[in-house]
Amino acid sequence: MTLAYVGLGANLGGREVTIRRAAELIGATRLSALIETEPWGYADQPPFLNAAAAVETELTARELLGELLQIELGLGRTREGPRFGPRTIDLDLLLYGNETIEAPGLTVPHPRLHERRSVLEPLAELDSALVVPGKGEVAALLAALD
Ligand code: ADP
Ligand code: MG
């Protein structure tokens, strides 16, 4: 059993309903509060709702990512449009236990996690003592953004 954390984001359609549904489909044991955040990387789009979920899983990281991508498709995610552009749902594998993984199509911890308030704030709510391998404690990373 591995404790993993998933980042959830949505900025099209019924954002809150979609995020709560995704958390259910993932089998999340805990879901953070949903926070509204400004778009990142591509500014001309609606604001996001973001959250983080904890999931206790028997899947490998690769299998879990595959499941997340399937759930994205099931909830109407398409991959048209610009990178970092609008999406009905984005599910990112943020942390997988304390593992560091560098494989084609799979990087854990998620490469932009340590610099995004939209990810760090929900993670800190779930567990502020959480450590991002190679980067440090979530609470410290968050403080460093100020
Ligand atoms: P982003 O989430 O960075 O805006 P996408 O959701 O379009 O971008 O993801 C693009 C690809 O990133 C996915 O197809 C997936 O293979 C890859 N990827 C690599 N590592 C991860 C990870 N930890 N979580 C989610 N996707 C990842
Ligand atoms: Mg993604």
Side-chain angles (χ1 to χ4, degrees):
M1 182 78 81
T2 301
L3 177 58
Y5 288 88
V6 173
L8 304 92
N11 77 335
L12 291 178
R15 300 175 304 167
E16 175 166 357
V17 170
T18 307
I19 286 178
R20 293 196 185 282
R21 179 70 185 136
E24 237 172 66
L25 291 170
I26 293 164
T29 51
R30 296 169 64 214
L31 178 65
S32 71
L34 279 55
I35 60 168
E36 188 154 88
T37 63
E38 288 310 309
W40 190 101
Y42 181 82
D44 187 19
Q45 58 176 325
F48 276 82
L49 271 190
N50 284 104
V55 53
E56 290 163 18
T57 186
E58 297 287 355
L59 301 179
T60 64
R62 170 73 64 191
E63 290 166 344
L64 180 56
L65 178 64
E67 188 179 277
L68 297 180
L69 298 177
Q70 279 307 117
I71 292 170
E72 285 184 345
L73 288 178
L75 291 174
R77 170 92 185 253
T78 60
R79 283 178 193 272
E80 294 141 15
R83 182 151 192 237
F84 304 126
R87 63 276 305 269
T88 48
I89 188 74
D90 181 41
L91 301 174
D92 290 331
L93 180 52
L94 303 175
L95 299 170
Y96 184 82
N98 57 8
E99 289 187 31
T100 300
I101 304 167
E102 279 291 350
L106 176 61
T107 304
V108 176
H110 189 276
R112 288 168 293 280
L113 142 64
H114 62 282
E115 61 192 25
R116 287 188 185 170
R117 182 177 303 280
S118 57
V119 181
L120 291 173
E121 250 181 40
L123 272 182
E125 182 201 325
L126 293 179
D127 179 1
S128 65
L130 202 58
V131 169
V132 181
K135 302 284 181 199
E137 268 192 19
V138 164
L141 293 169
L142 196 52
L145 290 185
D146 296 331

